Amino acid sequence: GASALFDMIEYYESATHLNIGANKHLGARGWQAAAHMMRKTSCLQYLDARNTPLLDHSAPFVARALRISSSLVVLHLENTSLSGRPLMLLATALKVNATLRELYLADNKLNGLQDSAQLGSLLKCNAHLQLLDLRNNHVLDSGLAYICEGLREQHRGLVTLVLWNNQLSHAGMAYLGMTLDPPHPQSQIFPDFPPPNPLQGHLPSPRPAPESREFRPIPDFRAGAVAVAEFIAESARLLRLDLRENDVKTGGLMALSLALRVNHSLLRLDLDREPKKEAVKSFLETQKALLAEIQNGCKRNFVLAKEREEKEQQLQHSASMAEIAGSESREENPEGNPEGNPGVPAPEENGSAAPAGDSSSDTEEDEEEEEEEGKDSREVVEFSGNSPGNSSGNNSGNSSGNAERRISVSSPGRGRKVFVVTRVENVPE
């Protein structure tokens, strides 16, 4: 059934999004047909295969397809038993893939040694992947070291890295700190951790857009809001900060509000809507006022960012218009024509015109060459000029000095005329 379905998708060449998730009995033959479809179709951009096992005997087919795939942008492989050799094959193939932007590998029991080393090696080689979701695995601090090592090799690339529930501790933050350090501005990695206790649960935050950057710290901190506020005040790149499910009270909110007065990059700061309980009841109203100030600061930054973007677009548009105007002026007054008339070549110094017979042999050869070239390149040639006998004159002897080409055309009953090539345009296919 799967083979027939994938053959149909390949034949009609129209599907852009395909979900084959939760098909536990797809098997090697089904994956082989899916890989063949991935290689052949140029429309498929989104493939969701979560909860569909991708085992050792099926992984080579998918790896070969990803190596040469030219259309797939988003790939979901959550809970597909990728740990070990399948992940190695997948990572090796993606090192040369230039189209994939989002890769989801949650719930695959990825370990902190071989699997994380493969992911770090992938990040060293692939500068096109923008989002990597590794939530609910066993990356550990040792695995985070491999991943951060790969990120430090990037000049541009990954924007969002999701590390929820990977048994990370303060020891792993040392590697992360070196990656986020200002000497490595190219490292655009912003971690995202859920509550460590699965019984507490966590609110699913929306997946950020490809151009956004998300930072969600460990939720079990109370006095850290001031330190985070200091980071916000100094940061010029942070776009989103998620501090929900944290014990941020009046003092922390006040520090965050003051930080947003000097920060002009943060567009979204997520905080719990309900104020935290404090001994002084009047602090509840203070918390509400501070929350409103924080949101207003984010709105102000959003407006400023939009204005900056519009100004950049206007500058680019004006620059492009100036370039177009310059090219048009060059076409109207081409080089080598002192009179500024594109249709009339420069006369001789003594003002005499060359006889028609002097240029007949040269122009006939030029005509034959132009006809041969026109057959191959399919170009439209625009001509202008006068008859050789006119008083204005066309000096064929000066044609070598001027960068002009002349073509002789004979018409029955109208004699022979010499035309000067002024512009060549390509014919649209």
Side-chain angles (χ1 to χ4, degrees):
S3 300
L5 175 66
F6 297 141
D7 288 344
M8 181 186 70
I9 293 173
E10 175 191 339
Y11 177 80
Y12 285 104
E13 189 69 29
S14 61
T16 59
H17 289 60
L18 176 61
N19 189 334
I20 58 172
N23 283 285
K24 297 182 179 180
H25 304 290
L26 189 64
R29 183 179 176 185
W31 274 115
Q32 185 176 7
H36 186 271
M37 178 266 302
M38 291 165 59
R39 291 199 308 269
K40 296 298 182 180
T41 181
S42 60
C43 293
L44 189 64
Q45 300 177 0
Y46 176 100
L47 177 62
D48 189 342
R50 69 185 76 191
N51 302 320
T52 302
L54 182 59
L55 304 179
D56 290 358
H57 49 73
S58 305
F61 305 128
V62 179
R64 281 195 293 269
L66 291 174
R67 184 184 295 271
I68 60 175
S69 176
S70 60
S71 61
L72 201 62
V73 177
V74 180
L75 178 59
H76 283 268
L77 291 175
E78 295 98 326
N79 191 25
T80 55
S81 304
L82 273 181
S83 179
R85 184 171 178 268
L87 180 67
M88 179 195 70
L89 295 173
L90 180 71
T92 303
L94 290 178
K95 289 179 181 179
V96 296
N97 184 293
T99 59
L100 194 68
R101 297 293 181 267
E102 300 181 11
L103 178 61
Y104 297 84
L105 301 177
D107 301 292
N108 277 296
K109 299 180 180 179
L110 304 181
N111 58 56
L113 297 176
Q114 292 89 351
D115 294 339
S116 298
Q118 293 295 335
L119 293 174
S121 178
L122 167 62
L123 293 175
K124 287 181 181 180
C125 301
N126 189 317
H128 303 280
L129 195 63
Q130 296 181 353
L131 184 146
L132 179 61
D133 186 350
L134 299 175
R135 69 184 74 190
N136 302 331
N137 283 296
H138 304 293
V139 171
L140 305 177
D141 295 331
S142 58
L144 184 58
Y146 287 113
I147 294 173
C148 290
E149 182 182 354
L151 287 170
R152 286 195 294 271
E153 297 286 334
Q154 289 192 345
H155 296 285
R156 55 178 299 180
L158 200 68
V159 175
T160 303
L161 175 64
V162 184
L163 293 170
W164 295 3
N165 194 19
N166 272 283
Q167 293 79 50
L168 301 175
S169 69
H170 66 281
M173 297 302 101
Y175 307 114
L176 197 59
M178 290 187 292
T179 304
L180 294 173
D181 199 25
H184 304 283
Q186 70 274 14
S187 303
Q188 299 175 350
I189 160 66
F190 295 82
D192 195 345
F193 304 103
N197 186 354
L199 297 179
Q200 294 178 2
H202 63 276
L203 295 175
S205 61
R207 180 177 62 80
E211 293 297 328
S212 67
R213 302 167 187 174
E214 184 173 354
F215 181 97
R216 188 173 183 181
I218 299 175
D220 192 19
F221 77 97
R222 291 172 175 80
V226 176
V228 173
E230 293 177 355
F231 173 76
I232 293 175
E234 297 175 358
S235 175
R237 296 192 302 150
L238 189 65
L239 300 183
R240 178 180 175 186
L241 180 65
D242 191 338
L243 294 177
R244 289 175 294 183
E245 301 182 17
N246 288 294
D247 196 19
V248 183
K249 297 184 179 180
T250 306
L253 292 176
M254 188 175 297
L256 293 172
S257 177
L258 293 173
L260 270 171
R261 294 182 184 181
V262 297
N263 177 282
H264 299 289
S265 66
L266 191 63
L267 305 180
R268 178 173 173 178
L269 177 57
D270 293 320
L271 293 163
D272 294 330
R273 295 181 180 180
E274 296 299 326
K276 303 295 181 180
K277 294 181 180 180
E278 295 208 39
V280 183
K281 292 184 178 180
S282 62
F283 283 178
L284 297 179
E285 296 299 325
T286 305
Q287 289 186 32
K288 292 180 181 179
L290 291 171
L291 287 170
E293 288 183 11
I294 291 171
Q295 297 306 318
N296 290 333
C298 292
K299 291 179 181 178
R300 178 206 65 209
N301 290 345
F302 182 81
V303 173
L304 292 175
K306 191 173 182 179
E307 291 177 354
R308 287 195 299 268
E309 183 179 358
E310 291 176 353
K311 289 181 180 179
E312 291 177 357
Q313 291 178 354
Q314 291 177 358
L315 290 175
Q316 293 177 358
H317 179 70
S318 60
S320 61
M321 292 299 295
E323 184 178 354
I324 293 174
S327 63
E328 289 179 351
S329 64
R330 287 193 298 270
E331 289 181 359
E332 293 176 358
N333 188 11
E335 296 180 0
N337 192 342
E339 298 297 328
N341 187 349
V344 181
E348 286 185 342
E349 293 180 358
N350 58 8
S352 62
D358 294 341
S359 62
S360 60
S361 60
D362 295 337
T363 54
E364 287 176 357
E365 292 176 0
D366 290 342
E367 178 185 4
E368 294 175 357
E369 292 176 0
E370 184 67 20
E371 289 176 353
E372 292 178 356
E373 293 175 358
K375 293 177 182 178
D376 297 334
S377 60
R378 293 189 297 172
E379 294 178 340
V380 173
V381 185
E382 180 178 317
F383 308 106
S384 64
N386 296 309
S387 175
N390 290 347
S391 60
S392 60
N394 289 314
N395 189 358
S396 60
N398 266 350
S399 62
S400 59
N402 300 327
E404 296 175 344
R405 300 181 59 186
R406 302 185 179 184
I407 296 177
S408 174
V409 179
S410 61
S411 176
R414 296 184 181 181
R416 183 179 298 276
K417 293 185 177 181
V418 177
F419 293 86
V420 180
V421 180
T422 61
R423 185 169 70 250
V424 179
E425 298 178 353
N426 293 329
V427 178
E429 295 183 359

